Amino acid sequence: MSNKPLSDLERIKTESNYLRGTLVESLADPITGALAPDDQQLIKFHGAYQQTDRDFDEERRRQKLEPLISFMIRVRVPGGVLTPKQWLDLDELTEKHCKPTLKLTTRQAVELHGVVKRKMKTAMQGIHATLLDSLAGCGDVNRNVMTSANPWESPVHQLVFDDALKIHKEFTPRTTAYHEIWLDDELVVGGEKKEDHEPLYGKTYLPRKFKVAIAVPPRNDVDVFANDLGFIAIVENGELVGYNLLAGGGMGSTFGMETTYPRLANVIGFVKKEDIVEAAKAVLIFQRDHGNRSERKFSRLKYTIDRLGLAYFNEQIKDALGDKLSEARPFKFDSNGDKLGWSKGYNGKWYFTLFIQGGKVRDDKHLQLKTALREIASVLKGNFTLTGNQNLVVGDIDEQDKAEIEALLEKWNLVKPLSGLRRNNIACVALPVCTMAFAEAERYAPSLIDKLEKILEKYNLLDEDILFRMTGCPNGCARPFLGEIALVGKSPGKYNLYLGAGFTGERLNKLYAELVEEHEVIGLLTPIFERFSKERLEGERFGDFVIRKGYVQATTSGLDFHQNIKLAKFHDIKPVLPKKKQTLDSILFVKKDKKKKKK
Ligand code: SF4
């Protein structure tokens, strides 16, 4: 363990009396829209982030006003399943207490943005009334447990969902602070104050956030290798027999610090279905006791494993689980994203997976998505399932009710063909609300895709599934390092371009170009798309192609992420932009003619 002093977050947790701190006082302070600094950290454990609208920072500064402060509340939805009533209730909350957008996250949760301090309590109570909560939505605890969101595919999915709920329940903090602060529950029990107890976490919770996901092959729609703890369902003779246990995945890294890196989880072994919670606890306890509590940049389980060695980690987990841990069993993934459109389930019911750009459910002049889903929810007898790719499954629809849902989807223009790049795109929230963002992501991705689609169309690749991820910083919320193409914001309008992740989420990508602007991104990708269309092998994926053709080297492990980087030479390429309207045919790129320039 490090000899360095503990991080200040450890002090805040220790002194917080199980996540209370001075939140009550901070919330009541009428002078400011902000919380006291320590409380800004503690409120994360309650599922909320204090944010400012960075679009208005400059103007507010000029007016000598406090930044425009509000809060994001992340509602946990374990396994992503919501009843239509819960959907309608959340929809109503966004109309009353915050920005009128429901933001579907990359971890099957729902975020409400723009809740001002004085409305926080009402919003939290509203969430509670939907039978959901935001406790442990953020902070140094286990986050929303993800699971494969394809309920139609087999009865196994329901069993896996049940196991996800068991882990969710076991890993939910026991503190009564959440109820006390937001729901006015009294701390006094039987007239005497009873101290909280966290049997799993202890007073200082975990060194850092902890993420769990369960995948059901052949679909890796949860990016199971990107999680601290993962399980891969093992199905033999149609029966769910257990899970392969994975540990040590994580996406975040920091620019300019090669000691930080994204990492894929290692496959540790196999546990029977009935042992999943015990196995999950063994890994969480290891991280609780061995994780770095001094330097938060190195606190995730991935660094704990690399610091202490995989062999030591395996040994410790084996010691904890004994015979319950055996050799990992074979598994095979064939895809990563969601299957969009209609699917008939094994149970005879119907499911429609709806693509939601950037996970944003709102009404705008192009699409009345929020109104449409409100209307669907008001007649739906089944449920909604949020996917790990910011999409939504309208599900459990009986044959006789399908026509009604179909008509609503048509009415609101929700059934339309999408390019392979768009349907495989996820983007984080980034600007204007994320304080970490260096550049746009979710607001910018659609317009960049519009442009890239024109190139793809030219090369007959419009329908090609290509995993495309975009984030505003390298923290990795939209799992960018698993994109076959990824843009990670480095400064306003400039991105690092990564290529070469695996289509099934089992290989990281690698840096291909630094600090590129839009025209450079297009300039770099255009010739690669062209070659891909002409020189690909049958069935070859884009991520595999760029490796075979030497654009980037395969990243075989997190420790290899910063190795063997050969940056593209994009400085001698410039776009010839049309004088008037830009069309597909006009987007041509040529070498700079230096001689001409001299003349
Ligand atoms: Fe913010 Fe970075 Fe996460 Fe995007 S990846 S939401 S910019 S922290």
Side-chain angles (χ1 to χ4, degrees):
M1 186 63 77
S2 163
N3 292 325
K4 295 182 178 165
L6 295 179
S7 77
D8 200 40
L9 239 299
E10 294 303 315
R11 173 194 63 76
I12 295 172
K13 287 183 274 184
T14 309
E15 294 173 358
S16 76
N17 185 18
Y18 297 97
L19 310 181
R20 285 172 178 79
T22 54
L23 269 168
V24 171
E25 292 80 356
S26 265
L27 287 163
D29 182 354
I31 305 295
T32 168
L35 302 174
D38 285 5
D39 296 326
Q40 288 174 30
Q41 299 303 325
L42 284 176
I43 202 168
K44 294 178 185 173
F45 293 77
H46 297 248
Y49 268 85
Q50 181 179 308
Q51 300 179 323
T52 63
D53 191 326
R54 293 170 61 187
D55 283 348
F56 295 95
D57 276 1
E58 192 54 43
E59 180 59 26
R60 303 277 293 186
R61 243 194 315 272
R62 248 200 314 270
Q63 294 184 22
K64 297 192 170 34
L65 291 170
E66 185 175 72
L68 207 52
I69 293 166
S70 67
F71 294 80
M72 175 279 283
I73 306 178
R74 187 175 294 150
V75 183
R76 283 193 308 174
V77 188
V81 180
L82 288 169
T83 64
K85 167 93 171 67
Q86 285 174 319
W87 180 271
L88 291 170
D89 290 347
L90 289 173
D91 174 319
E92 196 182 334
L93 282 177
T94 61
E95 295 295 319
K96 283 184 180 165
H97 303 303
C98 54
K99 287 187 181 164
T101 300
L102 283 159
K103 163 81 182 168
L104 312 188
T105 77
T106 52
R107 294 195 65 78
Q108 297 178 293
V110 181
E111 288 176 358
L112 314 184
H113 284 262
V115 188
V116 292
K117 194 171 84 170
R118 72 190 146 75
K119 288 203 172 185
M120 277 296 284
K121 204 159 166 174
T122 319
M124 289 293 213
Q125 291 180 352
I127 291 165
H128 181 67
T130 69
L131 304 181
L132 295 164
D133 66 53
S134 66
L135 175 61
C138 325
D140 298 345
V141 274
N142 175 57
R143 305 284 180 89
N144 201 39
V145 177
M146 291 174 79
T147 182
S148 210
N150 304 292
W152 66 86
E153 287 191 329
S154 73
V156 162
H157 285 75
Q158 181 60 45
L159 300 173
V160 170
F161 174 74
D162 294 343
D163 285 338
L165 285 191
K166 284 182 199 157
I167 296 172
H168 163 84
K169 210 169 154 203
E170 186 68 26
F171 285 3
T172 294
R174 301 289 187 264
T175 176
T176 55
Y178 184 85
H179 278 69
E180 188 186 307
I181 294 169
W182 306 110
L183 310 174
D184 290 331
D185 274 5
E186 292 293 321
L187 183 65
V188 179
V189 177
E192 276 180 34
K193 278 200 174 178
K194 192 177 168 194
E195 202 189 314
D196 273 322
H197 177 52
E198 290 282 11
L200 190 56
Y201 292 115
K203 266 190 168 180
T204 49
Y205 295 83
L206 296 178
R208 199 75 161 76
K209 63 186 163 190
F210 193 80
K211 296 182 176 176
V212 183
I214 313 180
V216 184
R219 202 180 294 278
N220 184 15
D221 55 338
V222 294
D223 272 332
V224 69
F225 291 92
N227 287 267
D228 295 270
L229 170 61
F231 292 98
I232 298 173
I234 302 295
V235 180
E236 291 172 358
N237 303 319
E239 298 262 314
L240 174 66
V241 292
Y243 298 91
N244 277 353
L245 168 68
L246 278 59
M251 286 286 100
S253 66
T254 304
F255 285 139
M257 276 184 85
E258 292 202 358
T259 43
T260 67
Y261 45 86
R263 186 186 191 282
L264 296 177
N266 299 97
V267 180
I268 306 300
F270 170 83
V271 292
K272 286 187 185 153
K273 181 183 168 353
E274 57 269 29
D275 297 324
I276 187 170
V277 175
E278 196 177 337
K281 274 171 74 175
V283 175
L284 183 133
I285 288 169
F286 176 89
Q287 165 64 356
R288 179 196 69 191
D289 296 344
H290 295 82
N292 185 332
R293 288 180 185 263
S294 301
E295 297 162 288
R296 288 181 64 77
K297 279 200 187 312
F298 304 104
S299 315
R300 292 285 294 274
L301 177 61
K302 60 181 177 176
Y303 298 119
T304 315
I305 291 177
D306 284 344
R307 175 169 47 85
L308 298 172
L310 184 60
Y312 178 75
F313 174 77
N314 285 343
E315 210 176 90
Q316 294 294 303
I317 299 302
K318 183 79 190 157
D319 275 359
L321 295 176
D323 292 344
K324 290 176 180 166
L325 185 71
S326 55
E327 202 174 312
R329 308 227 177 149
F331 63 90
K332 188 161 172 44
F333 288 118
D334 66 12
S335 63
N336 170 294
D338 299 325
K339 180 176 177 291
L340 301 179
W342 283 106
S343 303
K344 189 166 189 179
Y346 70 96
N347 53 5
K349 299 202 178 206
W350 285 95
Y351 299 82
F352 184 84
T353 305
L354 176 64
F355 172 76
I356 298 183
Q357 182 99 52
K360 279 183 123 163
V361 179
R362 63 175 180 183
D363 288 342
D364 61 32
K365 61 177 187 240
H366 304 294
L367 194 67
Q368 302 280 294
L369 182 56
K370 199 172 180 206
T371 305
L373 286 172
R374 191 182 301 140
E375 209 169 311
I376 289 171
S378 62
V379 297
L380 180 68
K381 297 185 191 101
N383 55 38
F384 284 167
T385 304
L386 315 177
T387 81
N389 298 295
Q390 302 176 313
N391 297 322
L392 179 73
V393 184
V394 183
D396 269 346
I397 303 164
D398 288 326
E399 185 73 47
Q400 68 269 22
D401 300 328
K402 185 181 174 227
E404 186 180 20
I405 302 296
E406 237 166 352
L408 288 172
L409 291 166
E410 290 289 344
K411 173 184 164 186
W412 293 104
N413 198 20
L414 300 182
V415 187
K416 49 188 176 191
L418 298 163
S419 71
L421 193 71
R422 194 178 299 270
R423 63 180 174 251
N424 288 286
N425 170 243
I426 56 177
C428 76
V429 63
L431 294 171
V433 290
C434 178
T435 50
M436 313 293 283
F438 298 123
E440 298 279 355
E442 148 200 299
R443 291 199 295 194
Y444 168 52
S447 70
L448 178 61
I449 293 171
D450 287 345
K451 288 169 187 153
L452 291 172
E453 277 174 345
K454 290 178 182 166
I455 318 286
L456 290 164
E457 186 178 18
K458 180 174 176 176
Y459 297 119
N460 213 14
L461 293 169
L462 210 48
D463 198 37
E464 183 70 26
D465 283 305
I466 299 174
L467 303 180
F468 177 38
R469 308 281 169 89
M470 187 186 282
T471 57
C473 86
N475 272 357
C477 298
R479 305 187 288 275
F481 304 113
L482 286 168
E484 290 177 288
I485 301 172
L487 290 171
V488 177
K490 205 161 182 193
S491 73
K494 296 192 177 189
Y495 296 83
N496 278 2
L497 172 62
Y498 298 80
L499 297 177
F503 186 71
T504 58
E506 295 170 88
R507 182 182 64 229
L508 296 165
N509 52 24
K510 197 171 282 296
L511 182 62
Y512 179 61
E514 260 184 319
L515 272 173
V516 282
E517 295 179 20
E518 181 179 273
H519 71 277
E520 291 162 329
V521 172
I522 295 173
L524 288 166
L525 288 177
T526 299
I528 307 179
F529 286 153
E530 183 178 7
R531 284 187 78 189
F532 181 52
S533 72
K534 292 176 180 162
E535 299 171 33
R536 69 187 296 191
L537 304 175
E538 199 181 331
E540 189 173 34
R541 294 287 177 188
F542 184 77
D544 299 331
F545 175 81
V546 293
I547 288 170
R548 184 170 65 82
K549 288 293 178 182
Y551 289 102
V552 288
Q553 287 201 22
T555 302
T556 50
S557 81
L559 292 169
D560 176 43
F561 183 69
H562 299 290
Q563 307 304 313
N564 303 315
I565 290 172
K566 215 174 68 190
L567 291 180
K569 290 190 180 69
F570 61 89
H571 296 294
D572 57 356
I573 297 173
K574 73 167 185 180
V576 177
L577 294 172
K579 285 188 180 116
K580 289 182 188 164
K581 199 170 167 239
Q582 188 170 349
T583 63
L584 169 66
D585 292 337
S586 69
I587 303 171
L588 299 167
F589 296 88
V590 294
K591 295 265 180 191
K592 278 183 190 171
D593 189 339
K594 288 176 186 165
K595 286 177 193 168
K596 261 186 192 175
K597 225 180 176 184
K598 277 181 190 168
K599 283 178 192 173

